[in-house]
Amino acid sequence: MRIRRTDYGTIILHWLLAGATIVAFITGLRIATEAPDHEWLNKIDWVLPRAHVWTWHMPAAIVLVGVAVAYTIYVMRSGLSRRVAMDKIRLRGLFGRPQARKGSISILLHWLLFLAMLALIVSGGLLFFGVESGHLTMQIHWYATWIVPVFILLHVLTHYSIGGTSQLFRVIRPSALPPPPPKLDAVELLTMLVAQTERLEESEVPVRAAPPSAPTASPAMKRPDGIRTRGEPQGSGGGRRGPGKTNSRRRNATFQSNPFVVAIAVAITAGSAVVAADYFAEDSLTIHRIASADTPTLDGDTSDHIWRTVAPHEVMTNQGGNFDGTGESRVEIRAVHDGTWAYFLFTWDDPTRSLKQLPMVKKADGWYLLHNGYEVGDEHDYNEDKFSVLFTTLDVTLAGDRTFHASPRPMSDKPATMSGRGIHYTPGTDVYADVWQWKATNGGPTGWLDDDHFGPPAEPTPEQVSNTVPYRGGFAPDPGNANYKDNFVLDTEAMKLGNRGVRPLRLPKDVAAMTAAMGDISLDPNMGESENARWFLMEADSVPYSAEADARIPVGTVLPGVVLSGDYSGDRADVRCAARWASGRWALEVARKLDTGSKYDIPLKSGVYMRVSAFDHSQIRHTRHVRPIRLEVE
């Protein structure tokens, strides 16, 4: 059996591509488990990595960029472009003999891979740098990813059918790079044609003696066209070549005799350019210094003079739930400070004003909680709109791997998540990330924004160990109290079988007044609430649940799932806010001291990283962006 071999440059580039592709593929699938409708990927959780996901995915992507550039340069400089050329002969081969057809199919598969890699590199770059990081780009990246394993399978099968195991093993049997065919030289071609014509004349025309008056040609004499006459000596001055001796011009010793070295050098340059672009294109938000007299009023109105003088920082967030099926929301951020307080204006796209936070509806056989996923901590229908801001001093140049950990069970000694999604926690003891969370129904309408944090993983409660209550890792509110609570008591085991076992915590004193305050009631989760509607009960306007009060409420009544009472207190009360929704956009004004003195809060100063995310009537399926935003405080 013939031992097949491949040039060393192709072998090295082949395995660099294979290794980087495998790393990028499995880490990319782990990242995709957090995207909507991709929960099925958790069925292969045992294959996917659980740590350093982003810190492996992005370097692998840079290697792929380098290999793509290196391979292009290599085939061009080494004369191997014929290997992947899809010309007329190859196209005809698709309908020719079996062996020719297999070779043509192999070339087509290579072009399929080239196009998929181009789509992955371009879409990945757009997503990473936030240039065009919307839903369409995410879809292109997702579908192009699946072309890779399909190619690998068909590639192996095709090569096996061409030459069996010897053909497959040639990628581990190196050989020297064959010299490329000589380039076509027009002058040499004309010289060869003239020489051939002269040989024909010699064989067909008899030789006659020259007339006495005719001058004898000098051996060194040239014709006017620069071609030596018959009998002239051959030399380096452009003379006639002997048969088979074309004496083609030598390749440049530096750039053509070492095509692999050139390709690797260019690839390293390309990879370095990507890293440099990331460094110099860092996203930043300036918190401008203003006078105390110019501070904005917290009312959700964006018309304050100071906001009109500050240019917004814009970031496209994606991979969230809902948002009309796109999962994307464009966020604009403005920020100022007066030396003591920092003020932010966040505006973001949201097609609906969603206030329905786990409402209840009364039926003939009792109260039913409207939900879809709440029992596992992943409600994605009957939930309020939310907006979240993260501040951290951790190195978060790459998303995740610092405060978020993918996998249904990222820690073997802690409970798995009931939702099948990842979990938040920080990498060390007494390491905290500051988290602000605004909620459209819970607390937000009364001017408070939840001040929370990500910290080290908490010890699970007995209910969390038994998967009765979702385990939340290191996510927790700052010490203190909030002014809201759920307006229902439920049997979680009964909820898994339906809505049985649910009853309200408090009932309205005046059902008609409550219903009027809720505005135009629609139980379609994708329908937003009308202006000035409120979907919460005030404790002062309600009474504790009793069978007698329940009996007076008619069947069909919709009851808010939230009760508000009192004010925030403690560290949890460090952030004030006001929000308004209009024409498909939320506007949220926020105020907090630059430094609260709490160990759970990050002082707002230059060098702190920030991330933002939006929730469209979803509990945990928020949007995200890859690159962090660096604060610059004037």
Side-chain angles (χ1 to χ4, degrees):
M1 180 183 292
R2 176 187 170 191
I3 302 299
R4 299 172 184 259
R5 298 179 182 276
T6 299
D7 58 280
Y8 68 90
T10 298
I11 289 178
I12 294 173
L13 293 176
H14 174 279
W15 289 113
L16 278 175
L17 174 67
T21 299
I22 291 172
V23 172
F25 182 72
I26 62 172
T27 55
L29 290 186
R30 171 59 77 194
I31 294 168
T33 59
E34 293 300 311
D37 304 322
H38 294 166
E39 295 90 342
W40 60 270
L41 290 171
N42 285 323
K43 294 180 180 179
I44 56 172
D45 178 67
W46 59 276
V47 178
L48 304 179
R50 299 186 179 185
H52 308 297
V53 177
W54 280 98
T55 48
W56 280 104
H57 187 75
M58 301 313 300
I62 294 176
V63 172
L64 287 178
V65 171
V67 171
V69 173
Y71 185 75
T72 302
I73 299 297
Y74 184 68
V75 297
M76 291 175 59
R77 306 301 301 183
S78 61
L80 298 176
S81 56
R82 171 67 182 161
R83 241 184 221 175
V84 293
M86 181 49 70
D87 49 23
K88 292 182 179 179
I89 296 176
R90 295 281 176 51
L91 290 174
R92 289 180 187 142
L94 291 172
F95 309 98
R97 296 179 179 180
Q99 200 66 11
R101 184 163 57 249
K102 294 173 185 177
S104 297
I105 291 174
S106 178
I107 300 300
L108 278 178
L109 289 175
H110 276 82
W111 279 101
L112 177 66
L113 177 66
F114 297 157
L115 292 175
M117 285 297 176
L118 179 62
L120 285 169
I121 290 172
V122 172
S123 61
L126 294 176
L127 291 170
F128 180 75
F129 288 104
V131 177
E132 188 59 47
S133 54
H135 178 68
L136 177 60
T137 308
M138 287 296 307
Q139 292 298 100
I140 292 173
H141 201 72
W142 169 252
Y143 288 115
T145 296
W146 291 103
I147 294 178
V148 175
V150 172
F151 164 80
I152 293 173
L153 176 62
L154 296 179
H155 178 66
V156 171
L157 292 177
T158 301
H159 275 266
Y160 183 80
S161 67
I162 290 174
T165 56
S166 179
Q167 176 72 10
L168 294 179
F169 290 158
R170 69 186 302 172
V171 293
I172 60 173
R173 298 189 184 117
S175 65
L177 178 68
K183 295 182 179 179
L184 178 65
D185 189 313
V187 175
E188 289 186 3
L189 179 60
L190 289 173
T191 303
M192 293 173 64
L193 289 174
V194 170
Q196 184 178 12
T197 301
E198 291 174 346
R199 284 197 300 271
L200 290 174
E201 290 174 354
E202 289 176 351
S203 62
E204 294 177 0
V205 181
V207 180
R208 297 180 180 180
S213 59
T216 303
S218 170
M221 183 181 297
K222 294 184 180 179
R223 295 182 181 181
D225 59 3
I227 302 175
R228 291 181 180 274
T229 58
R230 291 192 302 262
E232 68 184 5
Q234 297 181 16
S236 60
R240 185 179 58 185
R241 279 80 169 171
K245 297 180 182 179
T246 60
N247 193 28
S248 60
R249 281 177 281 181
R250 282 185 151 188
R251 296 181 299 173
N252 181 283
T254 301
F255 290 94
Q256 294 191 16
S257 61
N258 298 292
F260 180 72
V261 174
V262 176
I264 291 299
V266 175
I268 292 174
T269 303
S272 300
V274 173
V275 175
D278 174 41
Y279 178 80
F280 288 107
E282 184 177 54
D283 290 339
S284 63
L285 171 70
T286 300
I287 304 181
H288 300 277
R289 179 67 181 259
I290 62 173
S292 298
D294 295 328
T295 57
T297 302
L298 295 185
D299 55 7
D301 188 346
T302 62
S303 64
D304 291 85
H305 170 73
I306 193 62
W307 296 135
R308 297 198 302 270
T309 64
V310 175
H313 177 84
E314 186 177 283
V315 58
M316 175 63 82
T317 63
N318 52 49
Q319 296 191 67
N322 303 319
F323 291 99
D324 280 348
T326 67
E328 68 180 30
S329 180
R330 188 175 300 277
V331 182
E332 290 184 352
I333 312 167
R334 295 172 174 85
V336 296
H337 78 95
D338 63 2
T340 303
W341 286 82
Y343 300 87
F344 293 84
L345 172 61
F346 302 100
T347 58
W348 69 96
D349 298 329
D350 189 332
T352 55
R353 180 176 184 255
S354 304
L355 308 178
K356 291 186 284 284
Q357 173 68 17
L358 298 170
M360 291 168 283
V361 60
K362 188 175 184 180
K363 297 185 179 181
D365 58 344
W367 290 94
Y368 282 71
L369 184 72
L370 298 181
H371 69 98
N372 183 13
Y374 173 71
E375 67 278 9
V376 295
D378 185 17
E379 177 59 41
H380 44 271
D381 276 348
Y382 296 97
N383 207 267
E384 63 200 328
D385 287 341
K386 296 188 292 187
F387 189 81
S388 185
V389 186
L390 167 72
F391 295 100
T392 181
T393 55
L394 295 171
D395 179 12
V396 289
T397 304
L398 297 177
D401 298 343
R402 297 295 187 273
T403 61
F404 178 76
H405 306 267
S407 170
R409 190 166 193 163
M411 296 174 286
S412 59
D413 61 336
K414 298 292 189 294
T417 62
M418 295 173 64
S419 65
R421 298 165 68 85
I423 205 166
H424 290 281
Y425 62 87
T426 55
T429 305
D430 291 329
V431 176
Y432 298 97
D434 195 0
V435 179
W436 301 351
Q437 193 168 83
W438 169 82
K439 302 173 182 179
T441 296
N442 280 314
T446 58
W448 299 95
L449 188 148
D450 252 329
D451 195 3
D452 306 318
H453 63 268
F454 298 149
E459 288 301 315
T461 65
E463 293 79 12
Q464 291 171 335
V465 172
S466 63
N467 278 338
T468 303
V469 176
Y471 178 63
R472 307 181 76 186
F475 176 66
D478 287 2
N481 297 313
N483 70 346
Y484 64 84
K485 59 185 174 183
D486 291 334
N487 188 32
F488 51 82
V489 178
L490 52 84
D491 182 342
T492 53
E493 291 300 322
M495 276 189 60
K496 294 178 182 179
L497 304 176
N499 285 307
R500 312 292 296 182
V502 179
R503 70 167 177 81
L505 185 67
R506 299 186 69 86
L507 297 173
K509 293 178 180 178
D510 187 336
V511 176
M514 176 201 71
T515 302
M518 294 169 69
D520 298 331
I521 297 177
S522 171
L523 296 183
D524 181 351
N526 295 310
M527 290 292 292
E529 277 58 72
S530 55
E531 189 175 0
N532 298 321
R534 72 179 200 189
W535 280 62
F536 55 83
L537 278 179
M538 296 299 294
E539 189 171 72
D541 299 327
S542 61
V543 296
Y545 176 85
S546 67
E548 295 77 15
D550 190 358
R552 293 192 293 268
I553 295 179
V555 172
T557 297
V558 178
L559 187 63
V562 176
V563 175
L564 298 184
S565 175
D567 286 329
Y568 275 63
S569 64
D571 283 4
R572 198 169 179 178
D574 286 334
V575 190
R576 301 304 305 266
C577 69
R580 290 186 185 183
W581 182 93
S583 304
R585 285 183 69 82
W586 276 106
L588 171 66
E589 290 181 294
V590 178
R592 200 209 77 175
K593 286 185 176 181
L594 290 170
D595 189 353
T596 66
S598 171
K599 74 172 184 177
Y600 302 103
D601 293 338
I602 299 296
L604 301 178
K605 59 184 179 181
S606 297
V608 169
Y609 288 106
M610 178 176 73
R611 294 187 185 278
V612 294
S613 56
F615 303 69
D616 182 20
H617 63 90
S618 178
Q619 184 176 1
I620 61 175
R621 302 185 181 198
H622 59 79
T623 61
R624 65 204 68 201
H625 54 101
V626 178
R627 291 161 59 85
I629 303 168
R630 189 178 188 275
L631 297 186
E632 296 291 343
V633 181
E634 288 184 349

